[in-house]
């Protein structure tokens, strides 16, 4: 094995073509060990969390994912779109980090603390990302820049709605990843919002001094006291281990468990210390795979230089480290045939991502929530009572901030049961891995909050556990010799943000897409002074709706958390002229928009999915005072020919709208006078499908 690795390094230095078999070729060739055809066939769960890359930064240009071709996005003032971010002086859209002609492979790190992350998110209003994150936050890669990452996603499953858990930095997200929460679940259960003594808003508790075993770690901050996931596994007799060098894990920052009393108090000879604080090398990981002694749950912690963190590491170094893990995993076909490997990133650094993160409603200055939920939200907020964690100009809300999901980060699901180049667009976050462990081992991780359980899935939809047949896939690029290649790369001219805006780009083409648990509806009812929206969730998972009032973008966007099988309503006060323009965004391109100059003239229209397949049922109900009529137009997936939907006074007219030819996708407008309703999304019927055919530029 060492001779082969040395040869590959030499080949990389000489610029030889990467044509030899790789570990991932083996991974693709090995079949799953199907016994029950369920999640119980997963005998080994291996987790690698890398550092600080956003989804758009890596995959905004990739075909078939929700990237730069997204049509329905956050609106900004002055008619700008979410792509037109400002650095405070000029507009700076996303720009390409051309690694063939610049040193863009190793760009500078960008700010990524609670303070600047909150300001860039701006409670969902966006607008000034590079102002708070620097111009480099808008840089992105293409396929030719990061071929390993693209090829891995093409071979297995990529999640394009996986968010980091906290709008902040490394420690809060790794703490949530290792325990299920970064704020005290005991206080949350009492409806008490945590302060920083019972939560982790910023990097603090995982950064240690000292060394193991002697003289030992010295910790920062008071210890958090709820049980970590390793402690839950230990209590339930489930074998686990953290593979790391405890003195080369970026000063402890890679290990979210170090914030907790359980790990801090652990002594040699005790399970937490022996499994989670000893030196368990990547070589030992490989031996455990080879010998069939790999634990049921394994975390792999990268050293700083292999972590993929901007400025400290690079995508090609991260690719080589990932390939080493996969090479070890696939060396034993019996182990690989029963393994689920998850690779994600703790947070986004400052790298831009355009999708608004789901979150509990932000609070108006008077404390009123800008939105609602079908369950209790008390305790789901951070109480910055000293007003020390935010910028003075970040004044969209007060000192009570929702524990919101952060930007999207890449998540690769690599397993014999996830082969095939799929995209999964269910909303996930770092608590989803904990929920996957719950499903596999019939355990409960008590720290995961009710909001996260409702909104964030458990990752099981990424797998086909009935998979038996093998498939053939293209080889992935070799990654050996990345540091030698990087040294040559860094001799190139410095990558600089462009002086003029660049055109965005997204590859054309479809991608196989997993079925999603969402059946969502939003209906409107107009009145003399208000317009009311009703949010209905007929799906199997909870959902977060974002609502932007495009006539008042200075106001907080509202958010609505609706659990499965439930609905809720809310109203918007109309201006004196009676005009309205409300945009509703949901998962996987779901969009509804209601516009007009007189809410009383808005016809009563409902759109529902029919149980027979990929079609919509449009219903128009006319008032008793007279007939109603709407024109169907701007149909982006159909013929484009206008159609009429008419109902007599007091009657209801219906129209079935097939979407099978567009793989369930629809995007059309119903208009009546100057009132219009815009519908977009995908009809979910429980079957796998394809990505949005119009996701391209």
């Amino acid at each position: 094995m060492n001779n082969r690795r040395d040869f590959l390094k030499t080949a990389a230095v000489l610029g030889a073509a990467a044509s030899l078999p790789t570990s991932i070729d083996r991974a693709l060739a090995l079949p799953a060990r199907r016994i029950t055809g369920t999640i119980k066939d997963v005998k080994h769960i291996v987790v690698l969390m890398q550092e600080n890359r956003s989804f758009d930064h890596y995959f905004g240009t990739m075909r078939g994912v929700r990237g730069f071709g997204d049509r329905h996005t956050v609106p900004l003032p002055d008619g700008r779109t979410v792509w037109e971010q400002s650095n405070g002086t000029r507009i700076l859209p996303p720009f390409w980090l051309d690694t063939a002609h610049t040193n863009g492979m190793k760009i500078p790190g960008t700010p990524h603390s609670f303070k600047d992350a909150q300001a860039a998110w701006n409670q969902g209003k966006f607008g000034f990302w590079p102002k708070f994150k620097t111009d480099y936050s808008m840089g992105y890669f293409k396929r030719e820049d990061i071929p390993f990452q693209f090829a891995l996603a093409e071979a297995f499953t990529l999640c394009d709605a996986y968010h980091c858990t906290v709008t902040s930095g490394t420690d809060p997200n790794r703490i949530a990843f290792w325990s299920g929460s970064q704020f005290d679940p005991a206080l949350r259960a009492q409806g008490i919002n945590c302060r920083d003594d019972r939560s982790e808003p910023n990097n603090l508790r995982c950064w240690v001094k000292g060394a193991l075993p002697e003289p030992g770690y010295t910790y920062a901050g008071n210890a958090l006291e709820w049980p970590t996931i390793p402690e839950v596994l230990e209590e339930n007799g489930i074998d686990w281990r953290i593979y790391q060098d405890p003195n080369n894990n970026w000063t402890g920052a890679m290990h979210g468990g170090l914030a907790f009393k359980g790990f801090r108090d652990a002594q040699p000879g005790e399970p937490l210390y022996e499994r989670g604080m000893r030196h368990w090398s990547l070589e030992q990981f490989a031996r455990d795979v080879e010998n069939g002694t790999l634990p049921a749950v394994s975390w792999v912690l990268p050293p700083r230089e292999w972590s993929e963190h901007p400025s400290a590491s690079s995508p090609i170094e991260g690719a080589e480290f990932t390939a080493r893990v996969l090479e070890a995993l696939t060396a034993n076909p019996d182990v690989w045939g029963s393994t689920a490997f998850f690779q994600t990133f703790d947070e986004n650094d400052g790298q831009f991502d355009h999708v608004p993160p789901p979150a509990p409603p932000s609070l108006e200055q008077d404390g009123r929530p800008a939105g609602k939920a079908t369950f209790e939200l008390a305790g789901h907020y951070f109480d910055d009572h000293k007003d020390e964690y935010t910028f003075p100009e970040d004044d969209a809300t007060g000192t009570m901030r929702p524990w919101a999901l952060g930007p999207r980060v890449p998540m690769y699901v690599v397993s014999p049961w996830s082969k095939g180049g799929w995209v999964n667009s269910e909303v996930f976050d770092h608590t989803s891995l904990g929920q996957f462990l719950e499903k596999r081992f019939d355990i409960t991780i008590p720290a995961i909050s009710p909001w996260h359980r409702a909104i964030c899935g458990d990752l099981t939809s990424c797998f086909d556990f009935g998979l038996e047949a093998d498939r053939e896939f293209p080889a992935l690029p070799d990654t050996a010799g990345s540091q030698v290649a990087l040294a040559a790369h860094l001799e190139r001219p410095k990558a600089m943000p462009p002086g003029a805006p660049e055109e965005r780009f997204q590859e054309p083409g479809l991608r196989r897409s997993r079925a999603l648990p969402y059946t969502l509806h939003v209906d409107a009812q107009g009145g003399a002074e208000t317009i009311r929206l009703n949010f209905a969730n007929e799906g199997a998972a909870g959902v977060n709706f974002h609502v932007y009032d495009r006539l008042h973008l200075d106001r907080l966007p509202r958010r609505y958390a609706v659990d499965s099988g439930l609905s809720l309503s809310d109203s918007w006060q109309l201006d004196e002229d009676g005009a309205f323009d409300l945009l509703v965004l949901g998962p996987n391109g779901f969009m509804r928009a209601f516009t007009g100059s007189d809410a009383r003239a808005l016809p009563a229209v409902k759109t529902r999915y029919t149980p027979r397949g990929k079609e919509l049922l449009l219903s128009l109900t006319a008032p008793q005072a007279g007939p109603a009529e709407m024109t169907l137009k701007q149909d982006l997936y159909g013929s484009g020919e206008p159609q009429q939907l008419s109902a007599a006074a007091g009657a209801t007219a219906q129209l079935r709208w097939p979407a099978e030819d567009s793989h369930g996708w629809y995007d059309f407008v119903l208009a009546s006078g100057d009132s219009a309703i815009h519908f977009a999304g995908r009809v979910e019927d429980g079957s796998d499908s394809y990505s949005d055919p119009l996701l391209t530029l």
Side-chain angles (χ1 to χ4, degrees):
M1 189 67 70
N2 288 336
N3 290 337
R4 177 179 178 274
R5 188 179 294 125
D6 291 342
F7 174 82
L8 291 177
K9 290 181 180 178
T10 303
V13 172
L14 296 176
S19 57
L20 294 178
T22 68
S23 60
I24 303 173
D25 299 333
R26 288 205 307 271
L28 290 167
L30 296 173
R33 293 188 64 198
R34 184 179 186 275
I35 300 173
T36 66
T38 70
I39 193 175
K40 300 302 182 183
D41 289 343
V42 179
K43 304 303 181 186
H44 306 285
I45 297 166
V46 180
V47 186
L48 170 60
M49 176 177 272
Q50 293 284 77
E51 281 283 295
N52 293 41
R53 303 286 176 171
S54 79
F55 189 89
D56 277 345
H57 173 62
Y58 265 14
F59 293 115
T61 66
M62 189 181 205
R63 66 178 178 88
V65 302
R66 197 143 298 277
F68 293 153
D70 204 348
R71 301 183 306 285
H72 307 301
T73 59
V74 173
L76 300 182
D78 305 319
R80 290 184 291 132
T81 69
V82 75
W83 310 110
E84 298 170 286
Q85 296 291 310
S86 172
N87 64 7
T89 302
R90 66 185 180 99
I91 300 300
L92 184 63
F95 64 89
W96 178 30
L97 297 166
D98 180 0
T99 62
H101 300 97
T102 74
N103 68 351
M105 184 62 67
K106 199 165 185 178
I107 58 170
T110 54
H112 46 281
S113 68
F114 185 88
K115 180 178 294 188
D116 53 77
Q118 288 284 311
W121 174 51
N122 200 16
Q123 304 304 301
K125 294 197 291 184
F126 286 67
F128 291 93
W129 201 284
K131 176 180 178 180
F132 297 104
K133 300 288 195 176
T134 82
D135 287 358
Y136 282 103
S137 68
M138 303 304 292
Y140 65 85
F141 296 110
K142 293 182 182 179
R143 182 181 294 267
E144 57 263 37
D145 304 301
I146 50 173
F148 178 87
Q149 283 84 354
F150 268 69
L152 186 63
E154 296 282 16
F156 293 97
T157 295
L158 179 67
C159 300
D160 70 351
Y162 186 103
H163 294 256
C164 57
T165 295
V166 195
T167 307
S168 185
T170 288
D171 283 21
N173 280 289
R174 287 187 178 259
I175 287 169
F177 192 61
W178 248 269
S179 74
S181 180
Q182 81 290 347
F183 59 102
D184 193 330
L187 289 185
R188 183 205 69 224
Q190 299 174 52
I192 300 172
N193 296 313
C194 286
R195 296 178 175 180
D196 58 5
D197 63 328
R198 304 285 287 272
S199 68
E200 184 85 343
N202 243 340
N203 285 356
L204 174 65
R205 292 178 171 89
C206 296
W207 295 86
V208 299
K209 296 180 180 179
L212 294 179
E214 298 292 342
Y217 284 159
T218 300
Y219 299 98
N222 62 299
L224 303 176
E225 298 192 12
W226 59 92
T228 61
I229 291 175
E231 290 170 279
V232 174
L233 296 176
E234 187 68 32
E235 182 181 349
N236 286 273
I238 299 163
D239 195 15
W240 64 276
R241 184 171 295 155
I242 299 174
Y243 291 89
Q244 63 164 337
D245 180 344
N247 299 316
N248 189 17
N249 57 6
W250 206 334
T251 323
M254 300 298 94
H255 191 335
L258 299 182
F260 289 87
K261 179 177 175 59
F263 276 93
R264 292 185 177 190
D265 291 350
Q267 298 298 313
E270 297 177 350
L272 283 188
Y273 192 98
E274 297 300 324
R275 297 173 185 264
M277 300 181 78
R278 287 286 187 192
H279 187 173
W280 297 97
S281 66
L282 197 55
E283 289 74 22
Q284 181 63 52
F285 175 81
R287 286 193 292 270
D288 289 343
V289 173
E290 183 178 359
N291 296 331
T293 57
L294 187 70
V297 182
S298 304
W299 288 269
V300 179
L301 306 189
R304 178 180 185 270
E305 63 272 21
W306 298 106
S307 68
E308 236 158 312
H309 191 297
S311 74
S313 182
S314 67
I316 57 175
E317 291 167 299
E320 181 170 352
F321 188 79
T322 300
R324 290 178 183 176
V325 177
L326 289 172
E327 185 176 78
L329 263 180
T330 56
N332 185 335
D334 286 340
V335 171
W336 172 249
S338 57
T339 292
F341 172 68
F342 298 94
Q343 184 192 333
T344 188
F345 295 76
D346 57 0
E347 38 111 347
N348 63 302
D349 204 75
Q351 305 302 330
F352 173 74
D353 188 79
H354 78 279
V355 172
S362 297
L363 302 180
E364 303 285 0
Q365 292 290 351
D366 61 5
R368 291 180 298 109
K372 297 180 179 180
T374 55
F375 46 86
E376 181 58 54
L377 289 176
H380 286 76
Y381 292 79
F382 170 52
D383 181 3
D384 181 14
H385 64 294
K386 293 182 180 179
D387 195 12
E388 59 182 352
Y389 283 94
T390 55
F391 289 121
E393 62 264 48
D394 179 14
D395 57 359
T397 187
T399 59
M400 197 77 72
R401 303 289 174 114
W403 286 120
L405 297 191
R408 295 181 303 166
V409 294
M411 163 61 97
Y412 317 91
V413 180
V414 183
S415 169
W417 298 287
S418 65
K419 294 188 292 188
W422 294 88
V423 62
N424 188 307
S425 300
E426 185 176 356
V427 173
F428 302 120
D429 83 317
H430 295 331
T431 71
S432 297
L433 192 278
Q435 295 183 63
F436 185 84
L437 295 174
E438 290 182 325
K439 284 292 179 68
R440 170 57 187 87
F441 297 113
D442 300 316
I443 59 176
T444 298
I445 297 170
I448 301 175
S449 80
W451 186 90
H452 288 88
R453 290 190 182 280
I455 303 302
C456 304
D458 60 17
L459 291 166
T460 56
S461 62
C462 296
F463 298 87
D464 179 2
F465 292 115
L467 184 66
E468 288 184 288
D470 191 23
R471 303 188 183 103
E472 293 183 3
F473 298 91
L476 295 192
D478 256 318
T479 60
S482 64
Q483 292 185 325
V484 173
L486 181 64
H489 174 88
L490 294 180
E491 296 297 320
R492 295 170 186 162
K494 183 178 181 180
M496 297 293 293
E502 294 180 359
E503 292 291 329
R504 296 191 321 281
F505 164 79
Q506 184 167 0
E507 301 167 339
L510 296 180
R511 187 178 179 90
R512 288 192 288 184
S513 175
R514 288 297 187 192
L516 300 179
Y518 302 124
T519 303
L520 312 176
H521 310 294
V522 180
D523 306 314
Q525 181 179 358
E529 298 180 350
T530 63
I531 181 170
R532 175 169 289 273
L533 299 186
N534 183 67
F535 306 89
N537 180 3
E538 297 178 354
V543 68
N544 181 98
F545 294 98
H546 308 260
V547 184
Y548 292 84
D549 185 343
R550 290 187 288 201
L551 298 181
H552 298 283
L553 291 174
D554 57 315
R555 298 176 182 172
L556 289 176
R558 300 191 196 179
R559 289 185 292 274
Y560 298 87
V562 185
D563 216 341
S564 173
L566 300 178
S567 65
L568 56 76
S569 298
D570 206 355
S571 61
W572 280 255
Q573 191 73 31
L574 300 175
D575 292 342
E576 290 184 2
D577 61 5
F580 59 96
D581 190 351
L582 300 179
L583 173 69
V584 183
L585 301 176
N588 196 31
F590 178 90
M591 187 276 291
R592 298 290 186 267
F594 305 91
T595 61
S597 62
D598 183 355
R600 292 170 298 183
L602 183 68
V605 176
K606 288 186 177 181
T607 301
R608 295 292 185 267
Y609 304 153
T610 64
R612 289 200 300 270
K614 290 180 166 48
E615 66 175 7
L616 294 87
L617 179 64
L618 280 63
S619 300
L620 170 64
T621 301
Q624 294 291 338
E629 182 177 280
M630 297 200 82
T631 302
L632 181 66
K633 60 182 184 179
Q634 194 182 316
D635 174 22
L636 296 187
Y637 294 101
S639 65
E641 296 295 327
Q643 297 189 43
Q644 300 295 323
L645 183 61
S646 303
T652 297
Q654 294 185 333
L655 173 67
R656 295 189 182 276
W657 190 251
E660 186 172 0
D661 290 345
S662 54
H663 308 294
W665 294 94
Y666 59 92
D667 192 325
F668 60 86
V669 174
L670 282 173
S672 176
D674 67 356
S675 296
I677 308 175
H678 193 167
F679 303 86
R682 188 175 78 174
V683 179
E684 296 293 342
D685 62 358
S687 62
D688 295 331
S689 184
Y690 289 90
S691 59
D692 186 346
L694 299 182
L695 272 178
T696 186
L697 287 170

